[in-house]
Amino acid sequence: MDSAALWVTVKLALGTTLVLLLLGVPLAWWLAQARFRGKFLVEAVIALPLVLPPTVLGFYVLYALGPNSTLGRGYETLTGSRLPFTFVGIWIASVLFNLPFAVRPFVAALEAVDRQLIEAAWCLGVSRWQTFFRVVLPLSWPGILAGAVLTFAHTVGEFGVVLMVGGNIPGVTRTLSIVVYDEVQALNYAAAAQTAWGLVSFSFTALALTYALQRKSWLV
Amino acid sequence: MKASVYWGGIVLAAGVALGGCFGRGNTPVGRIVRVAAAADLQFAFDELARAFQTAHLGIGVRVSYGSSGTFYAQLANEAPFDLYLSADIDYPRRLIKQGKAVAESEFLYAVGQIVVWVPERSALDVPWRGINALLDPQVKKIAIANPQHAPYGRAAQAAMRHFGIYAQLQDRLVFGENIAQTAQFVESGAADVGVIALSLALAPAFRQRGCYAVVPLEAYPRIEQGGVILNWVQDRSAAELLRAFIIGTQGRAILAQYGFLLPQEAEALAR
């Protein structure tokens, strides 16, 4: 297996999961708590990355981050480097693309926490911040972990967005999924099967782990 | 208060993470030419790059294969490649118009050919019947590349029109995303016959597995494969050496071996 691609893949998947835990959990908590009229609109926006074909989404991200856009130019003036075709570029694209895969399980997990327990904590004088860490998180962690594992696995298998924004550069933006695709295109079926087998066994483990964690009891 | 500390921490962490990446762009060590090459060059260019590196020790070639159209969109956003080898001269010309490359760097390196291809197990006598084999009643599905964006697909469609058989075949066509996928449709047996690039039919993986008939050049518009050196090239002299090698004697010999015609040969054949 291509070790440079393996490293890029692991880095990207861990980085995406980390960012989505840090940004996604507060966002999900806000969505689970908030009651306002426009909430359905926010939910719809978060689910949007599910709609577009990944290469098309990648195409728009490419233009949004590229030197022809205000955002891309702003980043270049600030840092002196460009976003597309760099690791940071595919990292940002991957966070955007995985938003629904993280936030939706998080919201479901947080909504399932009994409201009465939260209110009881508040009545006992525990701050909102502490209530979140000492009551809500301990009760919802299997769901949050499930969302994190799903995000990780989905990033590993992501192809279209990473190819478009990353430009298939070995050691920088070429992930295992792109390696498999390249091998199939090059008719190297044996090499493709080897990498694909690695990806499939990894994904199986990740998904089995997710479902095992969601199981309430192991008695049955 | 604490929430603001949390968000402040996130912004800080993001800043540090991004900061860690500054200046560590993809600056290669030593001399290297970064090539974005059309997928149909896959087999020929691997060999060509090896020959180039033997002839010019000390210059590395790093190649990415993909669809010419995807590379075009990426290069319009200044993707870090030095040399672009497109399957269609139109894309490099558009980059020149956009000021991403200079007109002097444009070059024509090959003319692509299409063939009718069937796997070995097929009962269809393609080598003898040529493109008319497509009309055989036992042919249920014919694979071609998507004519909307693949030059080889456009050529296949044009050739069928040229021989006046397109209307009869239209309902039996299936479209591959690119020429390699088209070949896989046929090789897997999902389609009975396909129109693919000669370079693919001659590729090591396909050479033993099927037989083909070359479609006459005058039946379709010339598939002119051209390239450019991008304006943001890192090592211009190395990129120019590689370009000279591709259109030089050695490069052309390798391209010819993989079924690419040289532009002058195509002219001679057409006459």
Side-chain angles (χ1 to χ4, degrees), chain B residues 248-263:
Chain B
T249 337
Q250 238 181 316
R252 295 215 142 153
I254 296 171
L255 286 170
Q257 202 185 314
Y258 283 87
F260 292 104
L261 286 173
L262 316 178

Side-chain angles (χ1 to χ4, degrees), chain B residues 99-185:
Chain B
K100 308 287 184 194
V102 290
E104 292 73 53
S105 76
E106 182 194 311
F107 62 107
L108 208 64
Y109 61 87
V111 171
Q113 297 188 77
I114 54 172
V115 296
V116 179
W117 192 83
V118 281
E120 219 166 27
R121 58 180 180 275
S122 172
L124 222 54
D125 190 3
V126 161
W128 193 69
R129 294 170 66 186
I131 199 163
N132 286 325
L134 300 178
L135 289 165
D136 194 290
Q138 63 169 309
V139 171
K140 300 272 184 295
K141 293 280 176 241
I142 301 162
I144 70 171
N146 194 332
Q148 275 186 332
H149 54 75
Y152 283 98
R154 273 197 290 278
Q157 200 180 33
M160 289 178 200
R161 288 219 170 93
H162 176 87
F163 291 107
I165 54 177
Y166 183 70
Q168 279 159 276
L169 300 177
Q170 206 171 2
D171 297 337
R172 289 192 254 164
L173 295 179
V174 288
F175 303 102
E177 204 18 54
N178 51 48
I179 204 68
Q181 198 183 74
T182 309
Q184 283 157 2
F185 282 171

Side-chain angles (χ1 to χ4, degrees), chain A residues 2 22 29 51 58 83 122 127 132 158-159 162 165 170 173 177 201 214-215:
Chain A
D2 185 337
L22 290 171
W29 178 233
V51 176
L83 281 174
W122 290 346
S127 74
F132 181 75
E158 168 39 25
F159 166 74
V162 174
V165 181
T173 59
S177 304
S201 32
Q214 280 175 321
R215 205 163 157 157

Side-chain angles (χ1 to χ4, degrees), chain B residues 63-99:
Chain B
V63 58
S64 298
Y65 296 105
S67 104
S68 302
T70 302
F71 280 136
Y72 166 74
Q74 290 174 337
L75 290 166
N77 281 284
E78 303 181 15
F81 292 107
D82 304 318
L83 185 67
Y84 173 39
L85 298 173
S86 168
D88 189 335
I89 188 75
D90 191 42
Y91 289 122
R93 286 192 181 144
R94 275 197 246 176
L95 287 171
I96 290 168
K97 239 177 247 160
Q98 288 168 20

